[in-house]
Amino acid sequence: MKEVLVMNAVEQEILKVIVFQLADKEYAIPLSNVQGIEKLMHITRVPKTEKYVKGVINLRGVVTPIIDLRERFGIPVSDNEETTRIIIITTDEMEVGFVVDSANDVIDIPVNAIEQQPEVVGSNEVDFISGVAKLENRLLILLHLDKVLNPAE
């Protein structure tokens, strides 16, 4: 006797993200925006830029600006560790690197598990949040890349 498994006709919408760590929080960026993850390398400082702009790197012949997300979000800066990474992202034809404490993994998030950004008083990073995903015992903060990259914000 054969058993037939019937799949749910309505498949859940999934958002594939890369999860990274800053201090004690986990953040996520859509994988579609991620071009690669690099080990920390020499960053050439650029004068008269915002404090969170660490400088530029030459990545495979492309000069890429580097943003320290700890500085951008007002999180105390720590010493670079062995796990520190640069996540290379693209948005609107712009390529930028984000310095993060570590890049943890790539996961699928059901779209229905994402809630709107919470109203948090006294948090510098709240303007950069597009939503929060609750997954079992994890809380992932989804970044709004356009706002993170907009110096006017």
Side-chain angles (χ1 to χ4, degrees), residues 20-131:
F20 63 90
Q21 190 94 18
L22 283 179
D24 59 348
K25 295 180 187 170
E26 286 188 303
Y27 296 82
I29 297 174
L31 190 62
S32 60
N33 292 102
V34 176
Q35 296 302 308
I37 300 172
E38 305 290 332
K39 285 189 171 187
L40 195 63
M41 57 186 75
H42 175 73
I43 299 171
T44 303
R45 188 83 180 121
V46 177
K48 297 185 181 181
T49 57
E50 296 288 340
K51 189 175 181 183
Y52 60 84
V53 178
K54 290 293 161 198
V56 295
I57 60 172
N58 182 349
L59 186 63
R60 293 180 282 282
V62 177
V63 176
T64 305
I66 302 299
I67 294 174
D68 187 329
L69 285 185
R70 277 181 171 258
E71 291 254 5
R72 183 71 169 124
F73 296 161
I75 300 171
V77 178
S78 69
D79 292 335
N80 294 323
E81 305 285 332
E82 181 65 31
T83 59
T84 302
R85 295 290 182 264
I86 299 174
I87 299 176
I88 308 298
I89 63 110
T90 57
T91 178
D92 296 331
E93 306 302 321
M94 180 176 17
E95 188 170 285
V96 178
F98 291 153
V99 177
V100 300
D101 293 350
S102 64
N104 298 342
D105 48 11
V106 175
I107 62 170
D108 293 332
I109 299 176
V111 172
N112 62 3
I114 300 172
E115 296 182 8
Q116 294 299 314
Q117 74 179 47
E119 294 296 323
V120 180
V121 178
S123 175
N124 292 341
E125 64 202 65
V126 73
D127 293 336
F128 306 125
I129 298 172
S130 67

